[in-house]
Amino acid sequence: MPPKLLAIDHIHVFVANRAESERWYERVLGLRRTPELEFWANDGGPLTLQDESAQIHIALFERPAKPCRSTIALRVHGSLFRQWQSHLEHELPGAVTVEDHEASVSLYFADPDGNPYEITTYEVSLSR
């Protein structure tokens, strides 16, 4: 049996223009640079962004666009789901879809490079 994993550390996201993407991730998802890891962004390394509590980390790599088959799913409390829906529909008009999966409900959208995202909650009764 493998040893226990602690958490997902970060996710690599490939973007065409890292500076523009950094602004998008801050505006839409509230992710900001991780100051102690900024040095990695030199010479083609990742620009690491994080949420306010430093629990979610995304590493932006500037690379030519390629088709993406993975979706990055982020979980929220049911009580915040509608706030996220309102925020995303304001920031990304016409680009957000809602799916009721019975056991969960999700918002789907993509970043400017086509990387797909999902914001989901399993607290379905609180999300309505």
Side-chain angles (χ1 to χ4, degrees):
M1 174 176 268
K4 183 179 178 182
L5 295 170
L6 178 62
I8 292 175
D9 185 73
H10 66 279
I11 298 169
H12 290 202
V13 177
F14 300 99
V15 299
N17 184 311
R18 196 162 50 188
E20 286 179 16
S21 293
E22 180 180 11
R23 288 188 292 276
W24 186 91
Y25 278 88
E26 183 172 353
R27 179 176 56 87
V28 175
L29 295 177
L31 303 178
R32 292 186 176 88
R33 284 182 182 218
T34 304
E36 59 272 18
L37 300 178
E38 275 187 276
F39 71 94
W40 277 348
N42 300 329
D43 299 321
L47 174 61
T48 304
L49 308 178
Q50 67 184 31
D51 69 329
E52 189 175 294
S53 64
Q55 296 299 304
I56 296 170
H57 296 88
I58 292 178
L60 298 181
F61 286 86
E62 193 166 272
R63 303 284 192 276
K66 294 182 180 179
C68 180
R69 296 183 2 226
S70 301
T71 298
I72 298 168
L74 306 167
R75 188 184 314 175
V76 299
H77 290 294
S79 59
L80 296 176
F81 185 82
R82 291 295 173 212
Q83 290 178 36
W84 269 104
Q85 183 176 8
S86 177
H87 170 72
L88 290 172
E89 288 174 348
H90 176 265
E91 293 294 337
L92 308 170
V96 179
T97 60
V98 181
E99 288 287 328
D100 187 338
H101 304 292
E102 293 184 36
S104 69
V105 61
S106 300
L107 302 166
Y108 292 95
F109 58 99
D111 77 2
D113 291 281
N115 294 300
Y117 281 85
E118 172 185 2
I119 292 185
T120 192
T121 185
Y122 292 91
E123 298 170 346
V124 176
S125 63
L126 295 176
S127 69
R128 294 191 168 116

